[in-house]
């Protein structure tokens, strides 16, 4: 194929929706060659039938190039512009509303719904002053979730990593605090009721176990999702494919 192929040079040149489409294929297919074709189709904006016309060596180069892009750690950005609208990250994330927190927690760790989480984290900037800004009041994910499908991928993944880090640190602090308080209670002379609770572990042990299990689930950084998926997609060399074809013919 002699037509020019537009290859992304930076992770932020890739929209979030393209990555979501690719990862769906990657997770559901065991056919490496098909996944490579989909990679070129999705990230280079080609029709699948046109990918088959591209030289194999070029496909190999494109896959290698895109894989290198995904090895780079995305950089967190407080603001970005999309469709001539400037979006800003929640200025005070610790004081977010209950509705914001629920929508964010339900969507942030699920790649398929990451655009909905982005609609919580980033909203249009309504005012700026002395390096600070205000964003539009939150009215649910429906307002900007479709728009956020076209958000720069690096910004979306960095926001996800930011929230994961924040949640992980909060869980660690909570677990450490409870353990310290329990040690204090054991050193002091407890009441009859406290002695019973300490001996039986009613409520406390279950809660501690839940916290530990939740923390273990957070141990795997979401960064590994995008940093290992593409590099792990190893292309078979042209020699290997040639050998496979000969075996089939025989």
């Amino acid at each position: 194929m002699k037509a020019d192929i537009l290859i992304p040079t930076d992770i932020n040149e890739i929209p979030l929706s393209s990555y979501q489409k690719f990862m769906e294929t990657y997770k559901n297919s065991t056919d490496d060659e098909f996944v490579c074709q989909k990679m070129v189709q999705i990230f280079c904006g080609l029709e699948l039938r046109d990918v088959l016309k591209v030289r194999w060596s070029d496909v190999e180069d494109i896959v290698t190039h895109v894989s290198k892009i995904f090895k780079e750690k995305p950089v967190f950005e407080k603001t970005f512009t999309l469709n001539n609208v400037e979006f800003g990250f929640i200025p005070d994330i610790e004081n977010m509303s209950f509705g914001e927190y629920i929508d964010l927690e339900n969507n942030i760790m699920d790649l398929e719904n990451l655009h909905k989480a982005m609609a919580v984290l980033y909203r249009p900037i309504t005012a700026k002053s002395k390096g600070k800004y205000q964003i539009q009041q939150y009215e649910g994910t429906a307002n900007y979730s479709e728009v956020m499908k076209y958000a720069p991928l690096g910004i979306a993944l960095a926001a996800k990593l930011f929230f994961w880090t924040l949640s992980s640190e909060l869980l660690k602090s909570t677990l450490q605090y409870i353990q310290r308080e329990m040690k204090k209670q054991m050193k002091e002379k407890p009441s009859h009721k406290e002695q019973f609770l300490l001996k039986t572990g009613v409520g406390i042990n279950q809660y501690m176990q839940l916290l530990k299990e939740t923390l273990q689930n957070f141990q795997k950084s979401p960064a590994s999702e995008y940093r290992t998926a593409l590099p792990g997609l190893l292309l078979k060399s042209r020699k290997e494919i040639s050998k496979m074809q000969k075996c089939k013919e025989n």
Side-chain angles (χ1 to χ4, degrees):
M1 185 175 178
K2 295 182 179 180
D4 291 334
I5 301 175
L6 297 177
I7 305 173
T9 59
D10 182 85
I11 193 170
N12 283 330
E13 291 180 7
I14 299 172
L16 172 59
S17 60
S18 293
Y19 184 70
Q20 289 172 319
K21 289 176 184 176
F22 173 74
M23 287 305 294
E24 183 178 356
T25 299
Y26 176 75
K27 290 177 181 179
N28 296 327
S29 178
T30 57
D31 186 337
D32 284 353
E33 279 121 27
F34 175 71
V35 175
C36 289
Q37 290 172 20
K38 292 294 291 184
M39 184 189 297
V40 177
Q41 176 203 4
I42 293 170
F43 295 131
C44 298
L46 298 176
E47 295 292 335
L48 190 59
R49 62 176 179 271
D50 291 330
V51 176
L52 297 175
K53 301 174 185 177
V54 180
R55 288 186 307 177
W56 171 251
S57 59
D58 291 337
V59 171
E60 196 172 33
D61 290 341
I62 291 171
V63 171
T64 301
H65 171 76
V66 174
S67 296
K68 288 180 180 179
I69 289 177
F70 281 89
K71 285 182 180 179
E72 299 174 5
K73 185 177 180 179
V75 179
F76 176 75
E77 299 285 353
K78 284 188 175 181
T79 65
F80 70 93
T81 301
L82 183 62
N83 296 334
N84 297 320
V85 177
E86 188 174 19
F87 289 84
F89 190 81
I90 297 179
D92 189 359
I93 196 168
E94 291 183 1
N95 290 319
M96 70 171 63
S97 68
F98 182 67
E100 287 173 314
Y101 179 79
I102 292 299
D103 288 341
L104 183 58
E105 187 181 50
N106 287 340
N107 296 300
I108 190 68
M109 299 309 293
D110 184 1
L111 180 61
E112 292 181 5
N113 293 323
L114 186 53
H115 57 289
K116 294 181 181 179
M118 285 291 288
V120 181
L121 292 172
Y122 288 91
R123 297 197 290 280
I125 294 176
T126 57
K128 275 185 174 184
S129 178
K130 297 179 181 179
K132 296 183 178 180
Y133 59 81
Q134 295 178 351
I135 59 175
Q136 197 174 94
Q137 186 175 353
Y138 187 65
E139 296 178 352
T141 62
N143 282 359
Y144 295 103
S145 59
E146 288 300 309
V147 174
M148 286 300 168
K149 287 183 178 180
Y150 301 95
L153 177 59
I155 291 177
L157 293 178
K160 180 177 180 178
L161 183 59
F162 174 87
F163 185 77
W164 172 85
T165 303
L166 190 67
S167 299
S168 181
E169 290 301 319
L170 179 60
L171 278 171
K172 286 180 183 178
S173 298
T174 303
L175 188 59
Q176 290 169 357
Y177 172 77
I178 293 175
Q179 288 174 335
R180 286 197 301 269
E181 290 300 309
M182 288 182 68
K183 287 180 180 179
K184 284 182 182 179
Q185 289 182 18
M186 292 178 71
K187 288 181 180 179
E188 298 173 358
K189 187 176 181 181
S191 64
H192 292 298
K193 184 177 180 181
E194 287 173 337
Q195 286 178 17
F196 174 76
L197 290 174
L198 286 171
K199 287 179 181 178
T200 60
V202 175
I204 296 176
N205 286 341
Q206 289 91 330
Y207 182 61
M208 288 287 288
Q209 184 61 33
L210 178 61
L211 278 177
K212 288 179 180 179
E213 289 175 359
T214 304
L215 187 57
Q216 286 173 356
N217 290 334
F218 268 84
Q219 293 303 309
K220 185 177 179 181
S221 166
S224 62
E225 258 183 34
Y226 62 86
R227 296 182 72 184
T228 61
L230 293 180
L233 188 66
L234 298 178
L235 279 170
K236 296 181 178 68
S237 69
R238 288 187 288 277
K239 289 183 179 179
E240 289 176 318
I241 291 177
S242 178
K243 287 180 181 178
M244 289 173 63
Q245 288 175 339
K246 287 180 180 179
C247 289
K248 288 179 182 178
E249 290 174 358
N250 296 332

